[in-house]
């Protein structure tokens, strides 16, 4: 299926995307929509279309599978993202990374800022950069503000892996990929990460590949 014309009104393009049904195609790195930033959501879709779009994002995220998905990753330049993490990981990984389950959440017009000076580094991947992971140092704790899909205000602090997820998805809305913040000497194929760097923390990879950690 051809991509909807970028010259069509945004709501019309979203309707075209949703018309096919099922998971939406995920845009890969190199597409300008991942780099141009997003419009603040201000009712462009209307309540019913927004609800359908959010449901499509949830379906697409789960099918991928992933723990977050931003609207630009399906070709829509709106400041909307979804997150959800059942955190099916071993206890040692859970403890090392602070990875705790997160319910399905919709982030509308999100923004974050660090609330402490601490930074933590772990391997990170992206549905728009399939097959690869790299170590990214990020603030350990952030304050997220914005709204939910009903317009209710969000003002919440996140730590551990949830903080990483909301930073990653909010960065997408600003035209940033995780590779823009990554230690590029750590860049590894998924197969290599699984075979060599599956430890809960990236210290061994840092020693072997020659990059620093915070």
């Amino acid at each position: 299926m051809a991509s909807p014309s970028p010259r069509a009104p945004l709501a019309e393009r979203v309707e075209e995307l949703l018309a096919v049904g099922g998971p939406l195609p995920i845009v890969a790195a190199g597409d300008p929509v991942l780099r141009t930033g997003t419009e603040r959501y201000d009712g462009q879709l209307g309540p019913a279309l927004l609800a359908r779009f959010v449901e499509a994002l949830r379906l697409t995220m789960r099918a991928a599978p992933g723990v977050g998905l931003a609207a630009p990753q399906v070709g829509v330049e709106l400041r909307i993202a979804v997150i959800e993490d059942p955190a099916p990981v071993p206890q040692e990984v859970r403890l090392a990374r602070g990875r705790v389950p997160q319910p399905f959440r919709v982030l509308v017009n999100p923004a974050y800022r660090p609330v402490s000076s601490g930074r933590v580094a772990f391997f990170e991947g992206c549905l728009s950069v399939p097959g690869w992971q790299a170590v990214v140092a990020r603030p350990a704790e952030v304050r997220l503000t914005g709204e939910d899909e009903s317009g209710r205000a969000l003002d919440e602090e996140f730590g551990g892996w949830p903080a990483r997820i909301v930073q990653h998805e909010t960065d997408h809305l600003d035209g940033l990929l995780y590779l823009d913040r990554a230690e590029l000497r750590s860049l590894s194929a998924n197969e290599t990460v699984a075979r060599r760097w599956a430890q809960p923390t990236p210290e061994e990879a840092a020693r072997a590949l020659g990059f620093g950690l915070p």
Side-chain angles (χ1 to χ4, degrees):
M1 182 189 74
S3 297
S5 168
R7 292 179 295 277
L10 194 146
E12 181 180 324
R13 288 191 281 125
V14 171
E15 288 279 13
E16 290 180 33
L17 276 174
L18 301 182
V20 177
L24 303 175
I26 295 178
V27 173
D31 192 305
V33 74
L34 295 173
R35 293 306 200 172
T36 53
T38 52
E39 297 178 22
R40 180 177 175 84
Y41 180 73
D42 189 25
Q44 293 93 326
L45 303 186
L49 183 54
L50 175 63
R52 291 171 53 211
F53 181 57
V54 164
E55 183 57 31
L57 289 176
R58 172 159 55 180
L59 176 65
T60 305
M61 174 181 64
R62 289 178 173 177
V67 297
L69 189 68
Q73 292 181 274
V74 297
V76 177
E77 64 276 19
L78 277 178
R79 201 166 184 82
I80 298 173
V82 297
I83 65 172
E84 182 181 46
D85 185 12
V89 296
Q91 182 69 2
E92 63 174 344
V93 173
R94 185 186 302 271
L95 293 174
R97 301 180 186 176
R99 188 168 177 184
V100 295
Q102 288 294 297
F104 179 76
R105 304 275 296 271
V106 182
L107 311 179
V108 177
N109 301 324
Y112 69 83
R113 63 175 179 81
V115 296
S116 69
S117 60
R119 293 173 65 80
V120 289
F122 292 103
F123 274 100
E124 195 169 313
C126 180
L127 297 176
S128 291
V129 190
W132 298 92
Q133 297 181 48
V135 172
V136 184
R138 292 188 181 272
E141 298 174 300
V142 295
R143 180 179 178 183
L144 184 77
T145 56
E147 299 94 43
D148 67 11
E149 67 275 31
S150 299
R152 291 184 292 262
L154 293 177
D155 188 343
E156 188 173 341
E157 291 188 6
F158 290 81
W161 206 258
R164 182 168 296 267
I165 294 171
V166 299
Q167 290 174 78
H168 181 114
E169 300 309 328
T170 303
D171 281 355
H172 270 303
L173 306 179
D174 293 326
L176 295 172
L177 296 176
Y178 83 98
L179 291 173
D180 298 323
R181 302 189 186 279
E183 173 51 69
L184 291 184
R185 290 183 69 95
S186 71
L187 185 65
S188 303
N190 284 347
E191 295 83 357
T192 304
V193 174
R195 186 177 71 253
R196 304 193 63 155
W197 314 131
Q199 304 84 8
T201 64
E203 275 83 0
E204 187 172 334
R207 288 192 294 270
L209 299 177
F211 62 90
L213 295 171

